[in-house]
Amino acid sequence: MTQRTYADSPTGPGPWTPRLVALLGIALVALNLRIGVAAVSPISDIIRLDIPLTPRTEGLLAAAPPLIFAATGLVADRLGRRYGLESMLVAAMAISATGELLRATCGTTVAFLAWTIPIMAGAGLGNILCPAVVKKHFPDRIGLVTAVYTGCVTLSTALPPLVVARLAEAAGWRPALGVWALLTAVAAIPWLWIVFHPDRRGLRWDAVRARLQPNRRPDQAVRLDVPLWRNPLAWSLMLVFAGNSLIAYTMFGWLPEILRTAGFGVDRASWYLALMSLASLPGSLLVPVLVARMKRLWLLPPIFLVGYVTGLLGLALAPAHATLGWIVLTRVGDCFFPYTITLITLRARTPGEASAVSGFVQSVGYLLAAAGPWLMGTLAVHAGGWRVPMLVLLIIPPIQFAGAMIAARTAPARARLSP
């Protein structure tokens, strides 16, 4: 079967059913993009009874996601162009499901680390390709569908800490990790239906594009006739994404330890970790819609900046007091993530450009973010506590703010595709 790529230019409006299937597929893929990251740390003590996970091993597990996400970002766009977006999403979910199943049945530390690689690789492919899928199937609903995508990514981070410990206590850590392979396999089903569907007219984004106002000036879009490394919009989005990823992986890796150091018990610290994920959900759902509709995008970054600075400062100076408030404020800052993902999709003129920009922003951004947890942990050891590392982390939000303001001014607020 001939695979359809970005270059196809079909005509005709097509039915809505395949687009609804694509929406379901986007949601299911997004639900699997962080499970492999979030499912291990809540039950690491139980896993350690069978597999010797040393602090160094756990450090490698914490560093693996951003490093592998960065590596897959280098090839995801090329694979998507050659084999088709939908086919690559099927492959991504199959790779992740296989890794999750094999990691749950392995018996050595080396094998546990090795099978983490395909889990993260499949998720990395999904990270890069989903914005292009949104652009391809829903160019007239970018804000709404991106909200579904980012909301489900947030849920994929929050869900494992809420249930995996209970699953591990009831059935053991192997079923608690292996069960997620089923959800990952289910995420491939809508894309298999799309790939093998005999009538693909409803999958074609050009028909919707023809109904939109084609009045964007060429200098208002992300143009690939200029290398991405020379494109100010691509670089500004990368800075925002890199900063947000660095803070996110540091917080998810070390927040329980920060709170335990402040006097909290293990259960309560884990509860705050799950709450931090859930508190990101409102912003993940609201910000993409606002970005797609607002004329003055520059109004949003100052709100995110204040949230991050206030929340991080509170966790640095008084983590045992008003802890819930500090965590919620950091989630206001975390709105930089849906802001960036929405702009990647909104500013690109085609699915191909969305994939290319997504690959650049996420590969470079994750590579920079990978150093965050290790640097913060090392700094905590030398400083004798977490106050200094958390204060150092305050350097990042102003950099994100600057990038977000550049991105807000570089392109128009409303989604209009060029002719």
mmCIF file of all heavy atoms in Angstrom, residues 10 15 40 66 206 258 308 343 367:
data_model
loop_
_atom_site.group_PDB
_atom_site.id
_atom_site.type_symbol
_atom_site.label_atom_id
_atom_site.label_comp_id
_atom_site.label_asym_id
_atom_site.label_seq_id
_atom_site.Cartn_x
_atom_site.Cartn_y
_atom_site.Cartn_z
ATOM 1 N N PRO A 10 -4.983 16.431 -1.908
ATOM 2 C CA PRO A 10 -6.292 15.999 -2.323
ATOM 3 C C PRO A 10 -7.293 17.148 -2.291
ATOM 4 O O PRO A 10 -7.031 18.213 -1.769
ATOM 5 C CB PRO A 10 -6.668 14.950 -1.272
ATOM 6 C CG PRO A 10 -5.932 15.399 -0.068
ATOM 7 C CD PRO A 10 -4.653 16.011 -0.557
ATOM 8 N N PRO A 15 -15.680 13.133 4.766
ATOM 9 C CA PRO A 15 -16.552 12.962 5.927
ATOM 10 C C PRO A 15 -15.822 13.298 7.213
ATOM 11 O O PRO A 15 -14.602 13.351 7.262
ATOM 12 C CB PRO A 15 -16.902 11.476 5.865
ATOM 13 C CG PRO A 15 -15.727 10.848 5.178
ATOM 14 C CD PRO A 15 -15.242 11.857 4.191
ATOM 15 N N VAL A 40 7.679 4.500 37.105
ATOM 16 C CA VAL A 40 8.745 3.795 37.821
ATOM 17 C C VAL A 40 9.019 4.388 39.199
ATOM 18 O O VAL A 40 9.091 3.665 40.202
ATOM 19 C CB VAL A 40 10.032 3.763 36.984
ATOM 20 C CG1 VAL A 40 11.188 3.155 37.785
ATOM 21 C CG2 VAL A 40 9.811 2.971 35.699
ATOM 22 N N PRO A 66 14.634 12.660 28.590
ATOM 23 C CA PRO A 66 14.970 13.802 27.730
ATOM 24 C C PRO A 66 16.057 13.489 26.710
ATOM 25 O O PRO A 66 16.015 14.007 25.586
ATOM 26 C CB PRO A 66 15.421 14.881 28.722
ATOM 27 C CG PRO A 66 15.777 14.156 29.962
ATOM 28 C CD PRO A 66 14.895 12.961 30.006
ATOM 29 N N ASP A 206 -6.054 19.653 3.233
ATOM 30 C CA ASP A 206 -6.109 20.725 2.243
ATOM 31 C C ASP A 206 -7.532 21.217 2.005
ATOM 32 O O ASP A 206 -7.750 22.384 1.689
ATOM 33 C CB ASP A 206 -5.506 20.249 0.919
ATOM 34 C CG ASP A 206 -3.999 20.095 1.001
ATOM 35 O OD1 ASP A 206 -3.537 19.636 2.059
ATOM 36 O OD2 ASP A 206 -3.317 20.428 0.035
ATOM 37 N N ILE A 258 12.823 16.729 47.978
ATOM 38 C CA ILE A 258 12.784 18.076 48.553
ATOM 39 C C ILE A 258 11.793 18.125 49.717
ATOM 40 O O ILE A 258 12.094 18.675 50.791
ATOM 41 C CB ILE A 258 12.397 19.101 47.465
ATOM 42 C CG1 ILE A 258 13.508 19.207 46.421
ATOM 43 C CG2 ILE A 258 12.115 20.470 48.085
ATOM 44 C CD1 ILE A 258 13.121 20.019 45.201
ATOM 45 N N TYR A 308 5.802 30.937 37.940
ATOM 46 C CA TYR A 308 7.013 30.138 38.135
ATOM 47 C C TYR A 308 7.912 30.728 39.226
ATOM 48 O O TYR A 308 8.364 30.016 40.138
ATOM 49 C CB TYR A 308 7.802 30.049 36.832
ATOM 50 C CG TYR A 308 7.782 28.679 36.196
ATOM 51 C CD1 TYR A 308 7.965 28.526 34.823
ATOM 52 C CD2 TYR A 308 7.593 27.521 36.952
ATOM 53 C CE1 TYR A 308 7.936 27.276 34.227
ATOM 54 C CE2 TYR A 308 7.576 26.272 36.364
ATOM 55 C CZ TYR A 308 7.742 26.158 35.000
ATOM 56 O OH TYR A 308 7.735 24.925 34.413
ATOM 57 N N LEU A 343 1.861 27.109 19.613
ATOM 58 C CA LEU A 343 2.487 27.999 18.638
ATOM 59 C C LEU A 343 3.243 27.213 17.561
ATOM 60 O O LEU A 343 3.294 27.644 16.410
ATOM 61 C CB LEU A 343 3.428 28.976 19.343
ATOM 62 C CG LEU A 343 2.750 30.149 20.047
ATOM 63 C CD1 LEU A 343 3.797 31.041 20.708
ATOM 64 C CD2 LEU A 343 1.910 30.960 19.087
ATOM 65 N N LEU A 367 17.568 18.022 24.832
ATOM 66 C CA LEU A 367 18.998 17.824 25.059
ATOM 67 C C LEU A 367 19.514 18.768 26.141
ATOM 68 O O LEU A 367 20.269 18.361 27.030
ATOM 69 C CB LEU A 367 19.765 18.042 23.753
ATOM 70 C CG LEU A 367 21.274 17.776 23.805
ATOM 71 C CD1 LEU A 367 21.550 16.314 24.146
ATOM 72 C CD2 LEU A 367 21.926 18.151 22.478
#
